[in-house]
Amino acid sequence: MDPAIWSRLPEELLEHVLSFLPVRTFLNLRSTCKHFKSLLFSPSFMSKHTTPGSPFSSFLLLSHPQFYQQFPLYDSISGSWRHLALSLSVLLPVAGSNGSPTCTLLSSSNGLFCFSLPSSYSLLVCNFLAKSSRIVEFPSYPFSFDSLTFVSRPFGYKIFVLCSTFSSNSVFVYDSKIHSWQKFDPFEPILGYDYRQEGVLFDGSLYFTTSEPFSIACFDLESGRWERLDSELPGDLAFVRLVSDGENKLYLIGGVGRNGISRGVKLWELGDGRNWIEVESLPEMMCKKFVSVCYHNYERVYCFWHQGMICICCYTWPEILYCKVSRRTWHWLPKCPSLPEKWSCGFRWFSFVPELYAAV
């Protein structure tokens, strides 16, 4: 271990040796020297740790007000609950003097989390794996919003906010590349007031479903323009939600019935001709359970994409209904074993795919 010898070791060889370390072990070595810390942003070192042999898995993360700073994880690769919950106590502020939480998990995207910090009029974006975080201050004071969509990309992220606290409803978009907010045209004529659904990223735009009569609107993240999707939706819909695989497919999940009551749940895919093609129907017994869970109050229903799965959730139910798209099969996720029986609402699920190099 003669320093005179090791100091002459070419950097590419040193990176190669260090790449064999488990990522968690390497993270603990970051404080050893500036060079080790800088390797986190080295493209060659990054590429070695993003190979198919990466030790990371993918998780479904459960957030609940009673689980402050602790988030149970379901390993979607092994199909089991992790014994230890994810703790973000290092990155999050401590609870208030009365024990109440001071932040709320709002969204996740490609390994990044976005929390609200109401007491400081700001958002917190953090990468748990890299133990890094950034405070994003609100564009004005006071500031409240109806809906937030968080979109993380390889070279930055954007935060899309629908806000109805001004004289007319407005859209604000935060761009991490320039660390600033931009205000865009009102959305009220398209989405209406008090809109709370997240947008779905597809083909460079965020897509939203409107209230009845149902239609689809999209917001171009680059130009800031609103448009309506020129495609006829399936008939007899009681509720609609959108999901994107993050690449080139847009799906529609809808309850089919009359007078606002779903008698079935179906899945459609947007075809090349901008028409909706039916993909699958939820089996009858599973549909009965889903409808009973929702009590026909579909405002509580939300959906998201996770590693080839379309997840359908309800704020009042601790389980996830999901569809494996490639197999076209439906399943119920087993209930978290650490979840008390008496908890009956406030369940928020998120897709969590750890990504070391997702920059905040």
Side-chain angles (χ1 to χ4, degrees), residues 90-110:
V90 176
L91 299 174
L92 300 181
V94 297
S97 57
N98 60 354
S100 61
T102 58
C103 64
T104 303
L105 178 56
L106 299 177
S107 187
S108 68
S109 180
N110 295 328

Side-chain angles (χ1 to χ4, degrees), residues 168-170 186-193:
S168 62
N169 293 344
S170 303
F187 64 91
E188 183 267 329
I190 295 180
L191 297 184
Y193 285 97

Side-chain angles (χ1 to χ4, degrees), residues 63-177:
S63 172
H64 191 277
Q66 301 298 322
F67 271 148
Y68 181 62
Q69 295 188 353
Q70 298 291 324
F71 302 93
L73 294 173
Y74 180 82
D75 191 324
S76 56
I77 302 298
S78 64
S80 61
W81 285 95
R82 285 294 179 98
H83 295 297
L84 295 177
L86 175 67
S87 174
L88 297 177
S89 57
V90 176
L91 299 174
L92 300 181
V94 297
S97 57
N98 60 354
S100 61
T102 58
C103 64
T104 303
L105 178 56
L106 299 177
S107 187
S108 68
S109 180
N110 295 328
L112 296 181
F113 296 113
C114 182
F115 292 83
S116 68
L117 303 175
S119 60
S120 60
Y121 300 103
S122 61
L123 302 170
L124 175 71
V125 178
C126 65
N127 184 331
F128 169 75
L129 193 61
K131 292 184 173 61
S132 58
S133 62
R134 176 184 294 275
I135 296 291
V136 178
E137 294 185 351
F138 289 155
S140 61
Y141 304 94
F143 185 82
S144 63
F145 52 88
D146 303 311
S147 173
L148 179 146
T149 303
F150 181 56
V151 177
S152 174
R153 291 172 170 174
F155 303 103
Y157 56 85
K158 291 190 177 184
I159 303 173
F160 173 96
V161 173
L162 296 176
C163 177
S164 59
T165 58
F166 295 83
S167 57
S168 62
N169 293 344
S170 303
V171 170
F172 291 86
V173 177
Y174 177 84
D175 190 339
S176 67
K177 293 181 181 178

